[in-house]
Amino acid sequence: EKKPEINYNLPSLQLGESPLYFESINQLGTYNEIGAGMGDDLTDTRLDTKNTFSLPMKIAFISFKPFVSSRQTFYDKGANNQNGIIRTIFYSGADMSTKFYRIFDIKTNFLGLDINALRHIITPSIGYLYTHPPTIPNSNIKQIDGVDSTTRGNTAALSLSNKLQTKRNGLSVDLVDFLITTNLVLDPKLG
């Protein structure tokens, strides 16, 4: 059972005049595990923060964004009733994408869609992520959700976005956004 959680996300912000960007995702929550027998109920508190530095750039027609991240998670109790556990995970990787588009001169109100020119955008992208082994193994952490089950990894994510847009009152409006994505494990022995 999740009691109310507090979440704070700092969107990607440029660091002064530098080309670096910083992003932070934070969560504080208390979680109850209700046991089958009497006296088996457990309460855990977890503070999780993930901070990312990135260096977005354009190389010819490709957007390229290398990044490094550090995630620190504080648990008030571990799986073996240890007190005050702090686990750190280091991430690094890069994202690449580009866009191809074509504009069709179509003006119609068919089905009330109010189409004023139609733009077709195709965006292929690939991302690479290396996850360093956590400082505390998962067996020492009570498993609440995906934050706690993170292990060492070496993966690539491929995606293809296929979007149709039109203009309404000078603003772009998405009519269709079809996204296909898959993840590839580059070294299945890791984990």
Side-chain angles (χ1 to χ4, degrees), residues 34-41:
I34 300 171
M38 295 185 347
D40 290 341
D41 297 352

Side-chain angles (χ1 to χ4, degrees), residues 11 15 20-21 25 50 71 118 139 159-160 164 167 172 181:
L15 297 176
L20 291 172
Y21 283 76
I25 301 169
K50 183 178 181 185
R71 170 176 247 151
L118 195 61
S139 58
S159 67
L160 181 67
L164 291 174
K167 288 261 187 190
S172 292
T181 185

Side-chain angles (χ1 to χ4, degrees), residues 42-80:
L42 300 170
T43 300
D44 295 311
T45 300
R46 179 182 74 192
L47 172 63
D48 181 58
T49 181
K50 183 178 181 185
N51 300 300
T52 303
F53 290 93
S54 62
L55 181 63
M57 62 186 82
K58 199 90 155 160
I59 301 172
F61 60 92
I62 296 175
S63 296
F64 180 65
K65 183 174 89 170
F67 62 87
V68 293
S69 295
S70 178
R71 170 176 247 151
Q72 285 76 38
T73 309
F74 170 80
Y75 301 87
D76 69 338
K77 288 182 226 148
N80 302 321

Side-chain angles (χ1 to χ4, degrees), residues 19-185:
L20 291 172
Y21 283 76
F22 175 75
E23 177 182 7
S24 183
I25 301 169
N26 305 279
Q27 180 185 65
L28 173 65
T30 300
Y31 309 92
N32 288 333
E33 182 180 344
I34 300 171
M38 295 185 347
D40 290 341
D41 297 352
L42 300 170
T43 300
D44 295 311
T45 300
R46 179 182 74 192
L47 172 63
D48 181 58
T49 181
K50 183 178 181 185
N51 300 300
T52 303
F53 290 93
S54 62
L55 181 63
M57 62 186 82
K58 199 90 155 160
I59 301 172
F61 60 92
I62 296 175
S63 296
F64 180 65
K65 183 174 89 170
F67 62 87
V68 293
S69 295
S70 178
R71 170 176 247 151
Q72 285 76 38
T73 309
F74 170 80
Y75 301 87
D76 69 338
K77 288 182 226 148
N80 302 321
N81 289 325
Q82 313 95 305
N83 287 325
I85 294 176
I86 298 175
R87 181 173 79 158
T88 300
I89 304 173
F90 175 75
Y91 304 86
S92 62
D95 296 318
M96 288 190 305
S97 67
T98 191
K99 291 185 181 193
F100 303 99
Y101 70 92
R102 182 169 181 194
I103 298 175
F104 298 93
D105 190 20
I106 298 173
K107 187 169 177 74
T108 183
N109 196 20
F110 181 70
L111 297 176
L113 291 175
D114 188 24
I115 296 174
N116 301 299
L118 195 61
R119 180 166 53 176
H120 182 205
I121 306 168
I122 296 176
T123 309
S125 61
I126 184 168
Y128 170 75
L129 176 66
Y130 172 74
T131 306
H132 192 272
T135 56
I136 306 281
N138 289 348
S139 58
N140 292 357
I141 305 292
K142 291 184 181 174
Q143 300 297 306
I144 299 167
D145 56 23
V147 169
D148 309 307
S149 62
T150 302
T151 60
R152 181 179 174 192
N154 193 16
T155 59
L158 305 171
S159 67
L160 181 67
S161 172
N162 200 346
K163 189 182 287 192
L164 291 174
Q165 292 180 331
T166 190
K167 288 261 187 190
R168 292 188 188 141
N169 300 322
L171 299 174
S172 292
V173 177
D174 292 347
L175 298 174
V176 175
D177 190 358
F178 184 68
L179 178 66
I180 299 171
T181 185
T182 188
N183 291 325
L184 305 170
V185 177

